[in-house]
Structure formats: structure tokens, C-alpha cells
Amino acid sequence: MQLDVAVDLLTKAKTSLTNFRRTGFASAQVSAKDMCEEMKVEAILKAKGLRSTKKNFAYEAPDEPIADAMKRLEATFFNVVVDTAIESLTDRFLTLGEVRDRFGVLLSFQRLDDQASSNQCNNLCMTLSTGNESDIDGKELAAE
């Protein structure tokens, strides 16, 4: 697969997961209710009793427990799973985007104008150089 195509697909996947985080829980509720109706099962999420713990003096106030079972399911399960998927995409493929940015000029010569191709070829030359030695000449690459 081409590197630029892969990075674009990963960006689109991250965007769709971000949109799914906003609207996905409501659509999952609707589809779960429809499935319960088809199977003739009662569509009620039973709330567990909240545990009470001994409260000691603290400088920070504790978070209030979520009493609504649906809100608790959304906050403790759905959002956690989707956020983990988004962060995994970001962390795992960050390097892939950096490689595309550095070596992308090799894939997009036809689409770049003279100034942009010259700048990107010089950046590639700097990437492939150590000290005063360089593997390629950015000006010659841009001219070709």
C-alpha cells in the first residue's frame, strides 16, 4: 500500500471514531432496543446499588457517583473503549505520518510546483544527511 494512502485512511478512521464517540452511544441504544424487541426480551438496564465507602478527610472533594445506569455505562465503558481506540491510532501511527511528511516528496513530484518541490527536496536532503555529508543533493533532485 502506498504510504500516503495509508496515512489518509488512518486519518479518516480517527475522524470517524471521533464522530462515533459523539453519536455512537445513542445509535447503539436504538439498535440494542430493536434487537431486544426482535428477541422479545425486556430492554431494561438494571442499576446496581452504589457502594458506600467510609469517607475520610481529604483536601479534594470526591466525584459524585453516577446514579443513572445508562450514563454510567456510557462514561465507564463506551467512552473508555472508543477513547482507547482513538489514542491507539494516534500513538501507533504517529511515526508513519512523520515518515510520509519526510519522504512524501518522492510520491508527489507531479503534483508539486517548483518552489514546493525544491523545499521538500531540501528537507529530504537534510533528513538523509549526517554532519556535513549528505546522501543526495536536494537541488539536483528538484531539478530532475
Side-chain angles (χ1 to χ4, degrees):
M1 180 181 277
Q2 289 183 348
L3 189 61
D4 57 341
V5 173
V7 171
D8 288 339
L9 289 173
L10 289 167
T11 304
K12 289 177 184 176
K14 183 180 173 184
T15 303
S16 71
L17 276 174
T18 304
N19 291 336
F20 181 69
R21 187 185 190 283
R22 276 188 249 121
T23 60
F25 190 74
S27 63
Q29 277 182 313
V30 170
S31 63
K33 286 181 182 178
D34 292 342
M35 289 171 57
C36 287
E37 287 176 6
E38 286 178 12
M39 296 188 317
K40 297 178 182 170
V41 176
E42 193 173 337
I44 295 176
L45 182 64
K46 295 180 182 177
K48 288 184 176 180
L50 297 175
R51 290 188 214 162
S52 62
T53 58
K54 183 178 177 184
K55 294 183 181 182
N56 294 325
F57 177 76
Y59 289 103
E60 295 179 11
D63 292 335
E64 290 293 323
I66 302 171
D68 183 27
M70 282 296 178
K71 290 289 183 189
R72 188 175 339 126
L73 180 67
E74 181 179 10
T76 61
F77 178 73
F78 180 79
N79 289 345
V80 172
V81 170
V82 176
D83 287 344
T84 302
I86 292 170
E87 285 302 313
S88 293
L89 273 177
T90 302
D91 293 344
R92 295 174 108 190
F93 299 109
L94 179 68
T95 307
L96 191 63
E98 291 173 358
V99 168
R100 185 210 41 188
D101 292 341
R102 289 183 184 179
F103 297 99
V105 66
L106 300 174
L107 300 171
S108 61
F109 272 120
Q110 295 86 9
R111 294 176 280 178
L112 298 174
D113 61 352
D114 292 337
Q115 182 64 33
S117 66
S118 176
N119 290 340
Q120 288 194 10
C121 287
N122 286 333
N123 290 340
L124 181 63
C125 177
M126 290 172 47
T127 300
L128 296 175
S129 65
T130 54
N132 292 335
E133 296 181 21
S134 178
D135 289 341
I136 61 170
D137 184 11
K139 292 178 184 177
E140 287 182 21
L141 183 61
E144 285 184 26

